[in-house]
Amino acid sequence: MAKVRDNGLGMKLEAELDEILGVDVQKLSAFDGGHEDRKKGKKKYIILAGLAVVVVAAGTVAGVYTIRAQTFKTKFFPGTTINSVDSSNLTPAEVEALIRAKVEEYSLTLSFRGGEQEIIDGKDIDYKYVEGTEVSQLLASQDIMNWYKESQNTREYTVASNTTYDEEKLTAILEGMNAMQDKNQVEPENAYLEYKDGSFEIIDAKEGSQLDREAFTAAVQEAISSGKTDVSAEELDLYAKPAVTEDNEILVKQASDLNSYAAASITYDLPGGEKVLDGDTFVKWLDKDDDGNYTRDDEKFTEKIKEYVAEMAEETDSFGGEMEFKATDGSTVKVKSVDYGWQIDQAKEVEVLKQLIYDGEKTTREPEYTKRMATTDNGGFGDTYIEVNLTKQHMYYYKEGKLIFESDFVSGKMTKDRYTPTGVYLLDYKQRDRTLRGRRYSNGDYSYESHVNYWMPFHGGYGFHDATWRGSFGGSIYVRSGSHGCVNMPLTKAKALYDIIDDEVPIVIFYTHSYTLAAAEPFVDRKEKKEDKKADKKEDDKKEDDEESSSKDKDTSSSKDKEGSSSKDKGNSSSKDKNTSSSKDKGGSSSKDKGSSSKTDTPETPSKEPPKEPSSSQEPPASDGGGEAAPSGEE
């Protein structure tokens, strides 16, 4: 048996038939199916009878459906709403009567941000109902033969021609409302970043109360025309919005990035104490616009880092500047740092610091240095240093706070071209058996040539060395018979210093009193003099002898009385000194050296004209006479 296709209408008719017959038609085919003793013919009869009934019932249902459809020629389908009036199964006249009654009681509630509300009464705007054809036209548009399906749906209609109101009165009422006033139009504020308590946080946006008044007026007009009773400016999204809210992806990322910088904290361990660089400073290096947005301009940020490092260097660097030193005699002097002191490598430190900030590091460190002291104690000199007091012509070597060496010496003659320059130095190197030479004449000879056993330069041609040609050291010999700038020492003392000095010990050379310098000695080129070379050599020898002249003159008579010595004896003494130096070089005994020293360390009578007291300036040695060794070294 072929199946009947269910087209929807059949199901509806079947339902109507079930209601009329009071029986489930689908069960007729199974009627009495359980009695096998019934005859097949009787079964067929019953089935045919049932089908006949079904056909008759179907026709009846179709008629009922058609009759029902005719009802909706004058009435609206169930579920129909017109201007907010339930118009189900009502005629146009009944609908208009309800709309009219509703219009006469009409009022519109307006809601604004912050809970503020305003009510417009229909009477205040002459709101009236006017009959028209729109409702009837809606009825005529109904598909009555589809009434069953349409009855299962809802329909809402708005007709605009059935009401009128006074637009000018409405405009006046709206313009008088608080929410519509210019003074109450507060612009929204964007979310922004704020640095507080060491970190950046997002400050929420503010909505404000800036209303799109034109759009709101149009919404009110539309609501009145359609009979709506409520209008919410908030729900209609008629307020100006902030361009950036707290959940803005760019702002959130910016906060994260900036907090990485803010988290960085670099504590510098400096000679003068700690210096902390953290977010409180970083935030000042960023650009901030009027909306509170922070940005990092890498070029500007780097410049700020450079400025910070330069400022730190200005506070820290002592290299090349003056340093205070407390001498053994208790006096405090200021000495220029020539080789020793603090000096930050600004270029390197800028790059290191920038990376530390970008990585958000928290660390304690020293800056990158090009020059540094071994300690910060005792003004940076610590407890190991060599003190050379030019005024007292005495030197001290302290190691770990203990005096391990001291000696008298003779420093440079107090002329502008020969005096010993003050300063803080480090040993350049040390060398045995060195010939020190003066300026070269045009003919190739040198103004002097002196062999020394122990050479310890600390500043170009200036250095410590033995001076076996001298008979005494200390006192005021240096004023008129000083060296060419070097520190002359007894042979044994020079050897002792040579054995213990190294290039990490600061050498502090100073005067404890101010002084004036005599004019530089003129340099007369031998080529210009055109004198015999032998005569020149004798003159040079005479100059060398002048360094010991005061010593030879001071005790001539007493020497004769006590020792019966003569100038010849002194010559032998000088010769003995030279032999001592020579024998030492070859492996001679130290006792011999000491014997020689005892004979040549006789104190010298002070010069008749000691250094003058305070002078306003100290001129540097002339560039052509910087000590026993030529400025460029041995030539």
Side-chain angles (χ1 to χ4, degrees):
M1 180 177 176
K3 294 183 179 180
V4 178
R5 180 178 297 175
D6 182 3
N7 57 6
L9 179 60
M11 294 180 65
K12 298 182 181 69
L13 293 175
E14 186 176 292
E16 293 283 350
L17 185 59
D18 288 344
E19 185 178 352
I20 295 171
L21 297 177
V23 64
D24 187 346
V25 176
Q26 290 183 348
K27 293 181 179 179
L28 291 178
S29 61
F31 179 74
D32 202 25
H35 300 281
E36 295 181 358
D37 57 341
R38 303 286 178 89
K39 296 181 179 180
K40 292 182 179 180
K42 186 176 180 179
K43 289 182 179 179
K44 290 181 180 181
Y45 172 77
I46 293 172
I47 292 172
L48 290 173
L51 290 174
V53 171
V54 169
V55 171
V56 172
T60 303
V61 169
V64 171
Y65 186 87
T66 302
I67 293 170
R68 183 69 181 274
Q70 298 305 312
T71 303
F72 296 111
K73 282 186 177 182
T74 58
K75 296 181 179 181
F76 288 100
F77 292 142
T80 301
T81 300
I82 301 174
N83 285 22
S84 302
V85 171
D86 184 3
S87 304
S88 301
N89 297 312
L90 297 180
T91 65
E94 292 172 329
V95 171
E96 292 200 49
L98 292 174
I99 292 175
R100 184 181 295 107
K102 187 176 180 181
V103 166
E104 291 174 356
E105 299 174 355
Y106 180 76
S107 66
L108 177 63
T109 300
L110 306 180
S111 300
F112 301 94
R113 180 169 283 170
E116 182 182 353
Q117 286 190 333
E118 299 277 1
I119 296 177
I120 299 176
D121 194 296
K123 296 176 182 178
D124 295 335
I125 58 173
D126 295 338
Y127 189 69
K128 297 177 182 179
Y129 179 76
V130 178
E131 292 188 11
T133 61
E134 287 81 2
V135 175
S136 297
Q137 289 175 353
L138 287 175
L139 180 67
S141 67
Q142 292 187 147
D143 181 5
I144 61 174
M145 292 309 295
N146 201 24
W147 65 269
Y148 186 83
K149 180 179 179 182
E150 291 293 335
S151 296
Q152 310 305 310
N153 301 320
T154 58
R155 291 157 302 285
E156 292 185 7
Y157 299 107
T158 299
V159 292
S161 61
N162 60 338
T163 57
T164 62
Y165 64 91
D166 190 322
E167 292 187 5
E168 291 184 358
K169 288 184 177 181
L170 175 63
T171 300
I173 291 173
L174 291 175
E175 289 179 351
M177 293 180 179
N178 286 332
M180 301 285 279
Q181 303 306 307
D182 289 342
K183 64 180 181 180
N184 295 324
Q185 303 304 302
V186 179
E187 293 184 3
E189 295 181 13
N190 290 335
Y192 63 95
L193 293 176
E194 185 173 288
Y195 181 77
K196 294 194 304 185
D197 300 326
S199 65
F200 288 90
E201 61 180 61
I202 298 176
I203 304 302
D204 291 349
K206 293 183 179 179
E207 295 179 325
S209 59
Q210 187 175 23
L211 181 64
D212 187 338
R213 289 173 283 185
E214 184 177 340
F216 182 73
T217 299
V220 170
Q221 291 172 340
E222 190 277 330
I224 294 173
S225 297
S226 60
K228 294 180 181 178
T229 58
D230 295 288
V231 172
S232 171
E234 192 88 67
E235 292 178 3
L236 292 174
D237 199 19
L238 297 180
Y239 286 101
K241 297 179 181 179
V244 180
T245 58
E246 50 273 15
D247 58 355
N248 180 272
E249 291 184 4
I250 296 176
L251 189 64
V252 171
K253 184 178 185 305
Q254 188 181 68
S256 176
D257 291 344
L258 292 175
N259 275 324
S260 175
Y261 310 146
S265 178
I266 294 89
T267 301
Y268 280 105
D269 186 5
L270 301 172
E274 289 187 346
K275 185 180 182 68
V276 179
L277 175 62
D278 56 21
D280 291 340
T281 301
F282 302 150
V283 68
K284 298 175 184 177
W285 297 351
L286 302 171
D287 291 336
K288 183 179 181 182
D289 61 25
D290 295 336
D291 295 326
N293 295 310
Y294 287 87
T295 55
R296 188 194 74 205
D297 184 313
D298 285 341
E299 186 174 343
K300 291 182 180 178
F301 200 80
T302 300
E303 284 303 313
K304 291 295 183 182
I305 294 176
K306 288 181 179 179
E307 291 174 9
Y308 182 87
V309 172
E311 180 183 326
M312 181 167 61
E314 186 176 354
E315 297 171 356
T316 303
D317 289 0
S318 58
F319 184 78
E322 285 192 333
M323 303 174 64
E324 282 194 352
F325 176 77
K326 189 172 182 178
T328 299
D329 65 3
S331 61
T332 299
V333 295
K334 288 186 176 181
V335 192
K336 183 178 180 181
S337 171
V338 179
D339 293 332
Y340 193 64
W342 300 100
Q343 186 176 58
I344 293 176
D345 188 329
Q346 296 189 39
K348 283 186 179 179
E349 186 55 32
V350 165
E351 293 306 313
V352 172
L353 178 56
K354 181 163 62 174
Q355 195 59 51
L356 289 173
I357 295 173
Y358 286 2
D359 293 343
E361 293 288 341
K362 292 183 178 180
T363 185
T364 298
R365 66 186 303 275
E366 286 189 344
E368 299 288 329
Y369 287 109
T370 54
K371 300 284 184 181
R372 59 173 299 137
M373 293 183 176
T375 179
T376 58
D377 296 337
N378 189 25
F381 297 102
D383 57 8
T384 300
Y385 54 87
I386 296 173
E387 175 184 340
V388 181
N389 190 326
L390 296 174
T391 301
K392 293 184 178 296
Q393 295 285 285
H394 196 79
M395 65 186 294
Y396 310 87
Y397 190 157
Y398 292 94
K399 185 173 184 179
E400 297 178 356
K402 296 180 180 180
L403 181 64
I404 63 171
F405 171 87
E406 64 179 311
S407 175
D408 285 335
F409 60 81
V410 176
S411 61
K413 185 177 180 180
M414 298 303 289
T415 61
K416 293 182 180 180
D417 59 330
R418 292 179 58 170
Y419 83 105
T420 301
T422 61
V424 184
Y425 306 96
L426 293 174
L427 183 70
D428 294 334
Y429 61 91
K430 57 184 179 178
Q431 182 181 4
R432 293 290 307 274
D433 295 320
R434 176 71 178 263
T435 298
L436 307 179
R437 297 184 174 92
R439 292 186 63 183
R440 177 178 283 181
Y441 296 122
S442 297
N443 64 7
D445 292 337
Y446 294 95
S447 60
Y448 66 83
E449 292 186 89
S450 300
H451 172 269
V452 298
N453 297 283
Y454 303 99
W455 171 233
M456 295 160 276
F458 52 77
H459 182 53
Y462 300 95
F464 302 110
H465 64 76
D466 55 291
T468 55
W469 55 87
R470 288 190 179 276
S472 59
F473 299 85
S476 58
I477 300 172
Y478 74 104
V479 177
R480 289 186 174 279
S481 187
S483 70
H484 288 78
C486 286
V487 178
N488 291 183
M489 303 173 64
L491 178 63
T492 55
K493 294 293 186 178
K495 177 184 183 304
L497 180 63
Y498 187 91
D499 290 340
I500 60 177
I501 194 170
D502 64 56
D503 58 7
E504 294 183 357
V505 179
I507 302 167
V508 190
I509 302 178
F510 59 90
Y511 294 94
T512 56
H513 294 82
S514 297
Y515 54 86
T516 55
L517 299 172
E521 297 175 347
F523 178 77
V524 181
D525 196 308
R526 285 184 175 176
K527 183 178 180 180
E528 294 178 359
K529 289 176 66 176
K530 297 182 180 179
E531 294 178 358
D532 184 78
K533 277 193 175 184
K534 291 183 178 180
D536 291 342
K537 188 175 186 306
K538 289 181 180 180
E539 182 65 24
D540 288 342
D541 292 340
K542 183 176 183 300
K543 286 183 180 179
E544 290 289 336
D545 291 339
D546 285 344
E547 293 186 347
E548 298 183 72
S549 61
S550 60
S551 176
K552 292 180 180 179
D553 293 340
K554 68 173 182 174
D555 290 327
T556 302
S557 59
S558 61
S559 297
K560 288 181 178 180
D561 293 337
K562 295 180 180 180
E563 300 180 11
S565 61
S566 63
S567 59
K568 182 178 180 180
D569 294 330
K570 292 186 181 289
N572 293 335
S573 175
S574 175
S575 174
K576 184 176 183 181
D577 288 340
K578 292 180 180 179
N579 291 336
T580 300
S581 174
S582 176
S583 65
K584 178 171 178 57
D585 294 339
K586 296 178 182 178
S589 66
S590 59
S591 60
K592 186 174 183 180
D593 294 338
K594 290 180 181 178
S596 300
S597 176
S598 65
K599 290 187 178 181
T600 59
D601 286 349
T602 305
E604 180 180 60
T605 302
S607 169
K608 294 180 180 180
E609 188 175 344
K612 297 180 181 179
E613 290 301 324
S615 170
S616 60
S617 64
Q618 170 184 336
E619 296 186 39
S623 60
D624 60 350
E628 268 82 350
S632 60
E634 185 175 1
E635 298 181 11

